[in-house]
Amino acid sequence: MNAYDFTFCNQRLSALPSGALWWPARRLLCVSDLHLCKSDRVARRSGQMLPPYETAETLARLSADVARTDPATVVCLGDSFDDLNAALSISDKDAETIATLQAGRDWIWIVGNHDPGPVEFAGSHLGEYSALVLTFRHIAGAGPDISGHYHPKHGIPGAGAARPCFMFDESRLILPAYGAYTGGLHATDPVIARLFGPKPCAILTGRKAICVPVRPSGLRARSGRSRGNRP
Amino acid sequence: MDLPPLFHDWFAQRGWSVHPHQQAMLDRADAPALLLIAPTGGGKTLAGFLPTLAELADGGHAGLHTLYVSPLKALAADIKRNLGTPIEEMGLPIRVEDRTGDTSATAKKRQRADPPHILLTTPESLALLTSYEDAPRIFAGLQRIVVDEIHALAESKRGDQLMLALSRLQALCPDLRRVGLSATVEDPGAIARGLACHPDPCEILYADPGPAADISMLVTDERPPWAGGNARYSIPAVLEQVKQHKTTLIFHNTRAQAEIFFHNLWLANDTDLPIGIHHGSLDRDQRMKVEAAMVRGDLRAIVCTGSLDLGIDWGDVDLVIQIGAPKNVKRLIQRIGRANHRYNAPSKALLVPANRFEVVECVAALEAARENDLDGDPKGPGPRDVLCQHILIRACAGPFDADALYAEVRTVGAYADLTRAEFDDCLEFCATGGYALQAYDRWKRLLSRDGLWQLRDPRASRDIRMNIGTIQDTDTLKVRLKGAYKPLGEIEEGFAAQLTQGDTFLIGGEIVRYEGLREVSVEVTRRADKPPKIATFAGTKFATSTQLSQRILRMFQQDRWPELPAHTAEWLHLQREISHMPQADRILVESFPHDGRAHTCFYGFAGRNAQQTLGLLLTKRMEEEGLDPLGFVSTDYATLVWGLQPVPDPAPLFDEAAMRDGFADWLAGNAVMKRTFRASATIAGLIQRNLPQARKSGRQATFSSDILYDTLSKYDPDHLMLQITREEALRGLVDFGRIEELLTRTAGRVDHVTLTRPTPLAAPLLLEAGRIPVAGAGRERLMEETAARLMQDAGIADL
């Protein structure tokens, strides 16, 4: 497998090239920011009719990861649905796919800012979830924890466009957005960088998970907001 | 039609007489469609307006009489000024106003309530006008439409959009007469067919082309360099020419080249000649300052790009210098026409090759210009992304009948062969997104109610109006001096992203220092202490035309090249000695090692864009063959590929069937295709470029249109947007049509030469900028190595 294995809080974890996190000791698969049914919400809110296939695509990727790892527990780390209305509009076929994935496993929906309440699916709906020494929540809090929300992305200089990435140091692990229609925030953006110590690493997703150190560089941030010009 | 006596007196007072073509336009003033072909500066705009002025002279017409459409906002403003003179001096009761993106909201509102007699506008502003519900009232009484520089519009989707808008106007005003004004083109009949209301005929009038231009290549003591486009070597000679002439226009093919040349010109300008710069990325105020200075005759030279291609009257230009090979003979002739605009003297022009190969290209272009052998590619059918936008614009104006709209659209020459099924696909796309999966029943954009199509939510018209237009602006950021409000200009977002504090770059001819991002603009200071990085602009990179490429290949077959400077002729002789000269009916391939990598050079002479595509296709085939290509670079005549393994036999790489299969597969994952998709999807309204508040939303919310392309390709491969993208790929940036042409003319005849070092013709490509990495196994391996090294350096490799 093209995964990258690393140690976080004394646990051996595996960053899959798809953007999912695999914890072999607990047979736990974790994905973040699926943003299912995003096209429906966009159409409802702005009238823009995006290709309505992102839910099927995201679930197809998740199905592949589930088939490969056969997890006992699946943790969806928040923003699983683009909003609570969208969760209602999911097609029968996509709902069936979710039910199939859930069969025979513990399924944990962590609430996110996009889906702040319980959704109409089986599984536990939790604000956060802890197992052994690891805490899973949507937005990074008092660490150490594993979270999502920021959609980090990073690129190796001279090697093409930035890719969604994991980011971690000794006290924090942030997952990339797993959903098909999700953008990203540069790993060097101060909004993300300030959550980490001076030496975080990024694990790039893609054909193969590749780990690189992230050099702090506030000036390269291009978040479109005014903070970019501060070091 | 005769001119009223008042006009004859005015002409006489100025010592002018009516040109024969101006009289011919008057004589045929009643023709439903009329095209005038006249060289630059042949008084063609006045010829277009004379019938209008004559018809309006008695003051009997109320409301709008004539619409004037031009490709440039600046041209509309210029015409307004020029029309002011006869109207004022003859005391004509005529109100002329312009309406462009720069017109204030108040003025626009007033124009809708009380339109002037003559309205000067652009295709986009006109399309916007037709989208208003009160369009029938605004255009009531409209008699004539004058399309200026129609040859320039006809080359792009702006022309298609304009002609669709005309079909709407014709339905509102059945007596509308159409007049087109064009520079010299290779196929006037095609422009005429595009102008007329199909299937009406359109008469073509030709003005006296004037004396033949005096064009030559600038001879310098210094030899042109082997590669690159900045022509720095020619600066002293160019300055000398500027000194010897009153006003010189110095044309460049790209904005970046113009900036660099201007910068170097300034450094060498020890006699402080007043020289300005003008291109599309500069701030409007800056451009207007330069234009005003030029009209006053304050400037001795202007370094410019295509932004000065069109007919603004610049006064006493007596020399045109073209830096870089002209790539296209038609454009060269049009540019040369900018000199001696007013006088019946030959235009004077100098070509400056930027590198050694361009010497050959310039000589070929000179020959073609002397023979008046103009080039151009026939246009394909009307693009359907523009039609989608037209349907949405029509919906903004109120409920419509699909049959009537279909009939209207087919009166546009480019859409005359549009089938009902194709039209219905576009309508379906506008209404529901046109997806195989019906997902938007509740959120449809258009509904059919009582047999009429209309917007489900009328508020959607705001977004549609904000997205009108077919010009693709890349994402740019404004550049401002710290503390200043006025921007200096714009740079591409991708370029801005590479900058770190302290980096310097060129804009408007000055070096500025990057300080940071503020809101959505780039803050700079003048504390430049490093040599500049080069600003990258989108500015179109033109490909050398098919006709010009063929001419060069014919030249290559000569035994000797007396018409070329000695240094260039020797270079070609050396190539012939060491390898072969490329031929039109064969593909020459040279393989040689260089710098530790295997290099292979493919001479296709298919133009920059097609050579680029060829590079992508060949490296894909090489990847499949396990040759581990790492990257390639393309020019107008060749593609150079380097990799880890040498190519043993290139012939199978050109297998026609495999090449086409490869093309189909490759379409799915290619960056240029994604850019093409993005352009069409934006025009058709799938992606909104000016969504209100879009700028305010955070970055996480926005995602790249590439993802939409990938998703559609996987789940809905026959979707209209993908059909359109594939059609576009035959031309433009992908230009697969020219690869087809290459494969046909060479029919598998491949000559492979293996050498121990680079050949004379291939060597310049080693220096060429714009290298493209290949994302294959070889690259992935190098990337892993880089990452491992970075981890090692950081002391965390064992993490």
Side-chain angles (χ1 to χ4, degrees):
Chain A
M1 202 147 62
N2 288 322
Y4 182 83
D5 298 333
F6 63 108
T7 304
F8 178 73
C9 293
N10 295 318
Q11 299 298 312
R12 278 309 272 179
L13 300 175
S14 187
L16 306 189
S18 63
L21 180 74
W22 174 237
W23 185 9
R26 298 289 297 223
R27 291 175 27 87
L28 181 148
L29 185 74
C30 178
V31 290
S32 188
D33 298 272
L34 302 178
H35 288 271
L36 299 173
C37 307
K38 178 159 184 158
S39 59
D40 183 77
R41 172 163 170 265
V42 169
R44 185 161 18 95
R45 303 240 313 209
S46 77
Q48 201 183 353
M49 293 178 289
L50 300 174
Y53 304 108
E54 84 288 1
T55 305
E57 170 65 16
T58 305
L59 291 176
R61 291 180 198 174
L62 184 55
S63 302
D65 278 336
V66 165
R68 213 169 291 139
T69 53
D70 189 22
T73 307
V74 174
V75 177
C76 295
L77 214 44
D79 288 0
S80 303
F81 293 89
D82 211 44
D83 71 359
L84 290 172
N85 280 324
L88 297 174
S89 72
I90 193 163
S91 75
D92 292 347
K93 189 162 171 275
D94 293 335
E96 256 171 55
T97 308
I98 294 177
T100 312
L101 285 172
Q102 291 185 326
R105 313 176 204 286
D106 287 336
W107 197 281
I108 294 158
W109 302 102
I110 303 283
V111 296
N113 52 313
H114 278 259
D115 48 2
V119 288
E120 298 282 305
F121 287 94
S124 322
H125 297 93
L126 302 175
E128 56 183 62
Y129 170 71
S130 293
L132 295 178
V133 290
L134 298 182
T135 299
F136 297 82
R137 54 167 70 99
H138 181 57
I139 301 179
D145 58 10
I146 297 175
S147 61
H149 182 65
Y150 291 101
H151 301 203
K153 64 174 179 183
H154 191 56
I156 296 179
R163 301 172 178 186
C165 68
F166 297 80
M167 253 184 99
F168 72 101
D169 61 9
E170 56 283 358
S171 63
R172 230 186 261 304
L173 169 59
I174 296 184
L175 265 57
Y178 194 83
Y181 287 179
T182 51
L185 197 59
H186 276 279
T188 50
D189 191 293
V191 171
I192 295 188
R194 66 167 187 218
L195 299 168
F196 290 92
K199 286 179 175 169
C201 284
I203 305 169
L204 275 53
T205 60
R207 262 194 255 188
K208 180 170 179 170
I210 295 177
C211 187
V212 284
V214 177
R215 296 204 183 103
S217 152
L219 279 165
R220 295 196 55 156
R222 34 188 292 247
S223 64
R225 287 170 225 163
S226 57
R227 60 176 172 271
N229 59 339
R230 269 181 262 132
Chain B
M1 177 189 219
D2 275 330
L3 274 183
L6 187 63
F7 285 69
H8 283 293
D9 296 347
W10 183 72
F11 267 87
Q13 265 170 32
R14 312 199 117 214
W16 291 0
S17 56
V18 179
H19 284 308
H21 66 268
Q22 291 171 336
Q23 185 57 49
M25 294 288 281
L26 283 164
D27 294 342
R28 291 164 182 75
D30 290 333
L34 197 56
L35 175 65
L36 172 66
I37 309 275
T40 320
K44 68 176 177 314
T45 310
L46 188 58
F49 274 109
L50 270 180
T52 294
L53 298 182
E55 284 174 31
L56 286 170
D58 66 1
H61 187 87
L64 194 57
H65 177 283
T66 295
L67 263 176
Y68 165 88
V69 185
S70 85
L72 292 181
K73 289 184 244 182
L75 204 47
D78 193 53
I79 298 295
K80 186 179 163 190
R81 207 166 42 232
N82 292 350
L83 275 181
T85 313
I87 290 175
E88 219 167 275
E89 293 183 5
M90 288 188 274
L92 299 174
I94 301 175
R95 213 171 95 214
V96 184
E97 289 175 16
D98 58 346
R99 181 188 182 95
T100 65
D102 295 341
T103 310
S104 74
T106 337
K108 281 182 176 171
K109 214 173 206 170
R110 191 179 40 71
Q111 284 170 346
R112 271 171 70 186
D114 177 22
H117 298 110
I118 300 177
L119 186 67
L120 315 167
T121 189
T122 58
E124 292 73 27
S125 290
L126 177 60
L128 180 60
L129 269 178
T130 66
S131 82
Y132 293 119
E133 287 179 51
D134 57 354
R137 200 189 46 72
I138 300 171
F139 294 107
L142 180 66
Q143 299 291 309
R144 301 180 77 229
I145 178 151
V146 179
V147 183
D148 203 356
E149 311 281 5
I150 190 172
H151 62 283
L153 285 170
E155 280 177 2
S156 74
K157 292 183 179 178
R158 301 181 74 197
D160 297 308
Q161 172 155 62
L162 174 61
M163 292 309 155
L164 286 166
L166 282 197
S167 73
R168 188 83 270 279
L169 292 181
Q170 198 85 48
L172 295 173
C173 322
D175 297 330
L176 180 66
R177 290 161 284 159
R178 308 174 177 202
V179 174
L181 310 175
S182 171
T184 321
V185 287
E186 80 286 0
D187 186 2
I191 305 240
R193 282 191 297 280
L195 172 66
C197 179
H198 183 81
D200 291 354
C202 173
E203 195 181 340
I204 306 174
L205 300 174
Y206 294 88
D208 176 7
D214 164 17
I215 329 171
S216 53
M217 191 159 73
L218 180 68
V219 180
T220 56
D221 297 336
E222 190 137 351
R223 294 171 175 208
W226 289 110
N230 67 33
R232 192 176 180 155
Y233 77 95
S234 68
I235 298 268
V238 167
L239 264 181
E240 195 47 45
Q241 290 295 329
V242 171
K243 280 180 197 159
Q244 289 170 18
H245 291 82
K246 219 179 301 169
T247 311
T248 305
L249 289 185
I250 306 172
F251 278 104
H252 284 78
N253 289 333
T254 71
R255 293 170 192 178
Q257 282 167 6
E259 282 281 357
I260 299 163
F261 194 85
F262 180 64
H263 178 69
N264 290 331
L265 203 56
W266 255 123
L267 294 179
N269 183 10
D270 39 23
T271 50
D272 281 336
L273 292 169
I275 296 174
I277 180 165
H278 190 285
H279 64 70
S281 289
L282 292 178
D283 187 60
R284 184 166 64 96
D285 288 356
Q286 300 260 344
R287 270 182 283 155
M288 281 167 64
K289 253 189 232 163
V290 172
E291 287 164 20
M294 172 124 193
V295 169
R296 285 195 308 270
D298 289 352
L299 292 177
R300 293 292 297 281
I302 294 98
V303 174
C304 57
T305 63
S307 62
L308 283 194
D309 262 347
L310 298 168
I312 301 170
D313 197 339
W314 290 126
D316 297 339
V317 175
D318 53 352
L319 176 66
V320 167
I321 296 181
Q322 161 75 35
I323 307 280
K327 306 292 172 200
N328 171 313
V329 180
K330 179 170 57 175
R331 195 173 43 248
L332 171 66
I333 300 229
Q334 289 164 4
R335 279 188 176 169
I336 291 169
R338 312 287 317 165
N340 276 330
H341 210 161
R342 291 219 186 116
Y343 308 102
N344 214 18
S347 314
K348 191 172 169 194
L350 286 170
L351 304 187
V352 180
N355 58 50
R356 208 60 68 88
F357 190 83
E358 286 192 350
V359 174
V360 183
E361 237 182 301
C362 283
V363 169
L366 284 174
E367 264 179 23
R370 267 182 227 120
E371 292 166 22
N372 209 27
D373 175 18
L374 303 188
D375 39 15
D377 295 313
K379 263 195 93 180
R384 283 182 286 165
D385 48 359
V386 182
L387 176 58
C388 290
Q389 189 180 109
H390 181 70
I391 293 172
L392 290 172
I393 291 171
R394 178 65 193 84
C396 289
F400 65 91
D401 177 67
D403 297 343
L405 184 58
Y406 175 58
E408 224 171 271
V409 167
R410 295 225 304 166
T411 65
V412 177
Y415 294 92
D417 295 327
L418 183 81
T419 66
R420 182 59 195 246
E422 287 169 329
F423 174 83
D424 286 341
D425 282 350
C426 292
L427 182 56
E428 180 66 22
F429 168 81
C430 293
T432 68
Y435 299 109
L437 177 68
Q438 297 283 325
Y440 294 119
D441 280 352
R442 289 158 68 201
W443 315 119
K444 279 180 189 169
R445 193 150 41 173
L446 303 182
L447 295 173
S448 173
R449 220 176 264 147
D450 309 324
L452 293 181
W453 288 89
Q454 49 210 286
L455 292 173
R456 175 181 59 79
D457 179 354
R459 286 171 302 183
S461 58
R462 192 181 57 151
D463 286 345
I464 294 169
R465 289 193 180 113
M466 290 184 80
N467 277 287
I468 286 179
T470 58
I471 304 172
Q472 282 314 301
D473 26 43
T474 43
D475 291 324
T476 54
L477 295 172
K478 290 228 186 304
V479 178
R480 286 192 172 85
L481 277 175
K482 204 163 185 168
Y485 173 72
K486 283 268 167 225
L488 295 171
E490 293 178 340
I491 56 174
E492 283 178 17
E493 198 175 348
F495 177 70
Q498 297 165 19
L499 297 170
T500 47
Q501 192 177 24
D503 277 352
T504 55
F505 60 96
L506 282 166
I507 185 145
E510 57 180 317
I511 311 177
V512 292
R513 180 179 195 265
Y514 177 74
E515 300 294 344
L517 285 170
R518 186 167 197 91
E519 301 295 331
V520 287
S521 60
V522 172
E523 261 200 350
V524 298
T525 57
R526 290 202 167 101
R527 291 186 290 136
D529 48 6
K530 277 194 229 172
K533 279 195 174 188
I534 290 145
T536 54
F537 301 108
T540 336
K541 280 214 173 104
F542 297 108
T544 303
S545 70
T546 312
Q547 289 89 331
L548 203 50
S549 300
Q550 287 300 320
R551 202 175 261 277
I552 294 167
L553 282 167
R554 283 199 299 276
M555 268 177 74
F556 277 176
Q557 293 319 303
Q558 296 168 200
D559 290 333
R560 292 176 314 112
W561 296 280
E563 70 275 47
L564 292 177
H567 53 67
T568 304
E570 279 160 27
W571 174 51
L572 296 185
H573 280 299
L574 201 59
Q575 166 72 18
R576 181 172 277 160
E577 206 174 290
I578 292 173
S579 176
H580 295 300
M581 290 309 284
Q583 286 170 265
D585 58 350
R586 313 184 71 86
I587 297 177
L588 174 63
V589 182
E590 295 170 340
S591 290
F592 50 86
H594 176 72
D595 211 12
R597 304 255 189 255
H599 283 67
T600 305
C601 191
F602 304 87
Y603 298 89
F605 284 82
R608 180 180 295 275
N609 295 333
Q611 288 288 148
Q612 185 109 323
T613 300
L614 191 64
L616 290 162
L617 289 175
L618 288 172
T619 50
K620 182 176 180 292
R621 300 283 329 272
M622 289 168 66
E623 181 79 27
E624 288 161 4
E625 308 265 319
L627 298 173
D628 286 351
L630 290 174
F632 69 90
V633 67
S634 296
T635 65
D636 278 301
Y637 63 100
T639 298
L640 179 69
V641 183
W642 54 92
L644 300 179
Q645 312 291 331
V647 178
D649 178 14
L653 296 176
F654 286 96
D655 178 70
E656 230 175 303
M659 187 75 99
R660 279 200 197 94
D661 282 354
F663 181 62
D665 291 349
W666 163 81
L667 285 187
N670 171 261
V672 187
M673 283 306 284
K674 288 176 182 176
R675 206 169 347 145
T676 308
F677 168 79
R678 180 177 169 190
S680 284
T682 307
I683 291 171
L686 173 61
I687 304 170
Q688 301 183 337
R689 85 188 118 197
N690 289 327
L691 195 68
Q693 272 96 46
R695 287 272 177 183
K696 285 188 191 162
S697 68
R699 280 275 163 180
Q700 291 115 300
T702 63
F703 58 96
S704 142
S705 64
D706 295 1
I707 294 174
L708 297 182
Y709 178 79
D710 291 339
T711 313
L712 264 185
S713 303
K714 187 164 169 189
Y715 291 92
D716 210 340
D718 292 326
H719 188 262
L720 178 67
M721 279 305 117
L722 294 182
Q723 291 176 30
I724 293 173
T725 307
R726 285 192 285 266
E727 263 169 37
E728 297 283 324
L730 289 175
R731 300 184 284 269
L733 284 171
V734 179
D735 215 4
F736 194 70
R738 282 186 74 178
I739 295 183
E740 294 266 13
E741 182 264 340
L742 164 71
L743 293 177
T744 311
R745 78 175 134 87
T746 54
R749 291 179 288 267
V750 178
D751 298 324
H752 190 209
V753 184
T754 308
L755 305 112
T756 52
R757 59 191 174 96
T759 63
L761 266 187
L765 277 99
L766 294 168
L767 307 169
E768 194 67 34
R771 301 175 147 233
I772 295 175
V774 173
R779 178 73 41 190
E780 202 78 10
R781 214 157 78 206
L782 291 183
M783 183 165 157
E784 275 171 46
E785 285 165 24
T786 308
R789 206 180 55 242
L790 291 171
M791 294 294 281
Q792 197 82 48
D793 292 351
I796 45 177
D798 308 323
L799 208 68

